Amino acid sequence: MLKNRYYAFFLLIVFNAHAVEQKVQPLEEIIWLQSYTPPFHIAKSKSAPQGGICDNLTEQLISTITDVKHTRLIVPQQRINKYLNEGKNVCFPCVIYKKNNNQQLNYSNPTTVYPPFSIITTKELKPQLEKKHGSPIHLINLLTDPQYVYGQAAARKFTTKINTIIENTKRDKESSLSWSSENESKAVIAHLSHGFLDYSIDYPFMADYFNKQGKYTNIESVPIAENDIQFIRGAIGCAAKAPNNFAQQALKKINRALKNNVLQSPEYQQSQHNWLKTTFTDFDKHYQQQVINFYLLATDPQANTDH
């Protein structure tokens, strides 16, 4: 009997020691990744006093979440995937919202709402593409047309539906392009403007942004026929592979800050409105319904889950 009690006591000590070892340590630091992709990230200026689309979001989260250290790191898009796959304590403020986490990312609640992706091409080619493949353009037909050259930044991703179409139609052809440029989105636009590419895919406000910069003024967007959604929601993604339950800990703080501070902030709302209103006329309505009212929505039948 005494031996059994001793054995049980020994197991209790071992179990408690193991529990202490497995105890999750408090979150100490969030590394905020940012890429060379205007207009999502740009330096503040007179025309963009709050920076790019995702810059004010990051700033407000850093100023609101005061109990952890924050580090901002500027890296190429492909390097972002490297940090995520290596399980660093990183979050990226510009991803497509998904209801379900995956092996790479855990997602915050929605942070903004974008218009659907479109074809980005030149003013000269747009009439040709529309005449041959319709307006809205039938993406599958265009991607399988050998007359026109498609290209995108190597790490660029779209909705699941568009990603699948690209993969199935471009499986045997090189379409993802890698540059050493510090401005990857600008590199794509430059290749379009100079005729090295005929078209790409991105948000329609990308064409609007680069036209306003003055150097590339012949860029236009065309809707995609395969789009079956009215909007795409943005979110913050944190590294699912990071140890110590990093993503869960970080997103708990992030979602609280979004709900209580950032999303209702007039500064943040004005920043989003200024960037998105030109090419997304229903932005204010969708922002209210799909972002502000997110916590109140019992069901969300229209919501896209493929940012």
Side-chain angles (χ1 to χ4, degrees):
M1 182 67 123
L2 183 61
K3 184 178 180 180
N4 290 340
R5 289 181 179 178
Y6 175 79
Y7 183 70
F9 181 71
F10 174 78
L11 288 178
L12 183 61
I13 292 175
V14 172
F15 177 80
N16 287 337
H18 181 71
V20 170
E21 289 178 0
Q22 296 298 313
K23 184 177 180 181
V24 174
Q25 298 301 311
L27 179 64
E28 295 182 354
E29 180 183 22
I30 299 174
I31 301 173
W32 294 97
L33 298 181
Q34 120 181 20
S35 60
Y36 303 109
T37 50
F40 295 97
H41 297 286
I42 61 173
K44 291 183 179 181
S45 65
K46 186 175 181 180
S47 59
Q50 296 168 341
I53 295 173
C54 297
D55 290 327
N56 184 258
L57 172 64
T58 309
E59 284 187 3
Q60 291 213 38
L61 287 170
I62 289 173
S63 63
T64 303
I65 303 171
T66 58
D67 58 344
V68 301
K69 176 184 176 183
H70 297 275
T71 302
R72 300 181 77 166
L73 191 61
I74 303 175
V75 295
Q77 278 187 302
Q78 285 184 301
R79 183 69 62 171
I80 290 173
N81 288 331
K82 183 176 185 294
Y83 278 107
L84 291 172
N85 291 329
E86 289 177 349
K88 305 294 186 183
N89 283 13
V90 296
C91 294
F92 186 49
C94 286
V95 302
I96 294 176
Y97 169 74
K98 294 185 179 181
K99 290 182 178 179
N100 299 316
N101 299 324
N102 56 41
Q103 292 183 342
Q104 190 178 54
L105 289 171
N106 288 6
Y107 298 91
S108 74
N109 293 332
T111 56
T112 192
V113 59
Y114 300 114
F117 286 109
S118 65
I119 298 297
I120 305 296
T121 187
T122 63
K123 188 179 298 183
E124 296 76 20
L125 273 178
K126 180 180 177 181
Q128 295 181 37
L129 299 183
E130 291 180 317
K131 183 177 181 179
K132 192 171 184 180
H133 296 295
S135 181
I137 284 178
H138 292 278
L139 180 60
I140 295 175
N141 294 346
L142 179 58
L143 286 169
T144 54
D145 188 337
Q147 181 180 348
Y148 302 105
V149 179
Y150 168 73
Q152 66 182 63
R156 192 69 173 98
K157 295 296 182 183
F158 311 102
T159 63
T160 297
K161 184 173 185 178
I162 291 179
N163 289 336
T164 301
I165 291 173
I166 294 171
E167 290 166 4
N168 290 338
T169 55
K170 294 294 183 182
R171 183 171 296 167
D172 300 324
K173 297 180 181 179
E174 181 64 34
S175 59
S176 295
L177 309 174
S178 297
W179 293 282
S180 59
S181 168
E182 292 188 354
N183 190 329
E184 295 173 34
S185 54
K186 185 178 179 181
V188 174
I189 298 297
H191 278 63
L192 284 170
S193 183
H194 295 310
F196 299 116
L197 298 175
D198 293 320
Y199 68 100
S200 188
I201 297 173
D202 219 309
Y203 295 111
F205 56 74
M206 297 293 286
D208 188 50
Y209 170 75
F210 282 104
N211 282 330
K212 287 181 179 179
Q213 301 311 299
K215 187 173 183 180
Y216 308 109
T217 58
N218 63 332
I219 306 300
E220 295 199 8
S221 65
V222 188
I224 293 173
E226 284 84 349
N227 278 330
D228 54 2
I229 54 174
Q230 295 180 327
F231 58 87
I232 296 170
R233 294 193 292 193
I236 297 157
C238 295
K241 295 181 180 179
N244 198 42
N245 288 340
F246 164 76
Q248 295 93 322
Q249 290 198 74
L251 288 170
K252 183 177 181 180
K253 295 177 182 293
I254 288 168
N255 284 329
R256 186 186 303 120
L258 290 173
K259 179 181 179 182
N260 296 334
N261 301 92
V262 181
L263 299 181
Q264 296 280 5
S265 162
E267 183 183 70
Y268 177 66
Q269 290 190 24
Q270 186 62 46
S271 171
Q272 298 302 290
H273 180 85
N274 289 344
W275 280 113
L276 300 169
K277 64 180 179 181
T278 304
T279 55
F280 194 22
T281 54
D282 290 333
F283 170 76
D284 290 333
K285 179 187 75 173
H286 285 311
Y287 183 84
Q288 181 66 42
Q289 291 177 347
Q290 306 302 328
V291 179
I292 297 298
N293 294 346
F294 177 83
Y295 298 93
L296 304 177
L297 295 175
T299 59
D300 196 12
Q302 292 189 57
N304 172 58
T305 60
D306 298 318
H307 192 161

